[in-house]
Amino acid sequence: MENQPLNSYVSEKDLVKIFESLDAMNKKLNQTAIDIFTNETNRKLLSKPSHFTFSIVHRAIELNKGFKTLAEANNWITAINLIRLQADNCMRLFALSLVQDRLDFYNRIQNEEHIRNIKDAEGNEMTDQYLSTKLNELYPGFRILYENTSGLIHFSNEHMKINTDRIDDGDEFMMYIRLAETTEFPIGKKVDYAFNMFIVSKELHSLLNGYKLSMIDFMKRFDNE
């Protein structure tokens, strides 16, 4: 969703392929979560930070399903909001990797404390701006995706642009306003939105896999007890 020309050499087939990739990503997210769960429960354990992680995975899978359902119903104005929510999942899971004490982090979230008030291991408050900027170091482009989709979550001039067609003719112009009718997006925009939903879900899976590897190593300390 960067400010660059849309790919005009795409079709509905490309959109279908992205939806198939989203379905496949949901299976990967689910399987990785199962791997984390099995690694712990085989030792008759279940860590609280993993409970936090499983909750994010469940939300992520539901968001992907919802995005696809809304897009297939041609309700793109609602669907594109879910990209921002998936980015939120990335930032929350990433925050878990930045703190010094994961159990303390979990307990504070359980007690309804906002993540933005919790500091990472270096003493930085983990605001959305901070987390999105740090994530951009891992996944270049994340920050601009976060900013662009934030403008779609809250009512803004982006919605006014979507609602309005303006035809200029010299010093005069004609404006068309939509009310009840469905907004039709060009295929290039549809593919762009869907691809970004896939990309941010892929980044979430990468973060989840990193947590999985860290917990495999962490749980080894219980094998001799």
Side-chain angles (χ1 to χ4, degrees):
M1 297 178 69
E2 297 188 29
N3 298 322
Q4 59 185 17
L6 293 173
N7 188 348
S8 58
Y9 299 101
V10 293
S11 67
E12 291 290 338
K13 290 183 178 179
D14 296 292
L15 190 58
V16 170
K17 288 180 180 178
I18 295 174
F19 287 153
E20 291 173 350
S21 296
L22 266 181
D23 289 338
M25 183 55 62
N26 273 352
K27 291 179 181 178
K28 286 184 177 181
L29 287 165
N30 187 65
Q31 184 57 56
T32 304
I34 289 173
D35 292 344
I36 295 168
F37 181 82
T38 303
N39 179 55
E40 298 183 20
T41 55
N42 280 349
R43 295 176 168 86
K44 301 186 185 306
L45 298 169
L46 186 62
S47 71
K48 290 183 176 180
S50 291
H51 174 227
F52 173 85
T53 302
F54 298 147
S55 302
I56 287 179
V57 173
H58 179 255
R59 183 190 187 208
I61 291 173
E62 291 296 298
L63 287 176
N64 281 337
K65 288 179 179 178
F67 181 89
K68 182 181 176 184
T69 298
L70 289 165
E72 290 177 338
N74 209 28
N75 189 348
W76 286 89
I77 289 180
T78 308
I80 56 183
N81 290 309
L82 303 189
I83 304 173
R84 171 63 179 81
L85 299 184
Q86 199 69 292
D88 180 77
N89 277 336
C90 284
M91 292 188 291
R92 271 55 191 161
L93 184 55
F94 184 55
L96 181 63
S97 72
L98 298 179
V99 297
Q100 190 168 5
D101 189 334
R102 289 179 175 178
L103 181 57
D104 175 69
F105 175 85
Y106 172 86
N107 289 333
R108 292 170 72 174
I109 297 300
Q110 277 286 76
N111 290 327
E112 301 183 357
E113 187 168 351
H114 291 292
I115 289 179
R116 64 175 178 267
N117 296 328
I118 301 174
K119 294 182 179 180
D120 67 6
E122 297 177 353
N124 301 295
E125 289 186 346
M126 295 188 294
T127 62
D128 282 359
Q129 181 176 358
Y130 176 73
L131 292 172
S132 61
T133 300
K134 290 282 287 184
L135 265 174
N136 198 70
E137 297 173 6
L138 286 178
Y139 309 116
F142 184 91
R143 175 67 187 173
I144 194 167
L145 181 142
Y146 162 78
E147 290 176 345
N148 288 347
T149 53
S150 292
L152 293 165
I153 283 287
H154 305 291
F155 183 81
S156 66
N157 67 325
E158 290 298 321
H159 295 96
M160 296 175 72
K161 290 177 184 177
I162 291 172
N163 175 257
T164 309
D165 288 331
R166 173 172 169 154
I167 301 176
D168 288 291
D169 183 16
D171 295 329
E172 299 181 356
F173 70 89
M174 185 176 295
M175 185 177 289
Y176 294 91
I177 304 295
R178 299 179 183 86
L179 292 177
E181 67 269 28
T182 300
T183 303
E184 292 295 337
F185 288 94
I187 186 60
K189 276 195 172 183
K190 291 179 180 179
V191 169
D192 183 58
Y193 290 140
F195 183 70
N196 277 282
M197 187 63 169
F198 168 73
I199 288 297
V200 74
S201 299
K202 183 179 179 181
E203 291 168 351
L204 179 67
H205 180 258
S206 178
L207 293 168
L208 180 66
N209 195 56
Y211 177 81
K212 168 188 167 181
L213 294 176
S214 71
M215 290 306 289
I216 288 174
D217 186 60
F218 177 78
M219 283 294 160
K220 289 178 181 178
R221 67 179 63 185
F222 297 99
D223 290 344
N224 297 323
E225 293 184 3

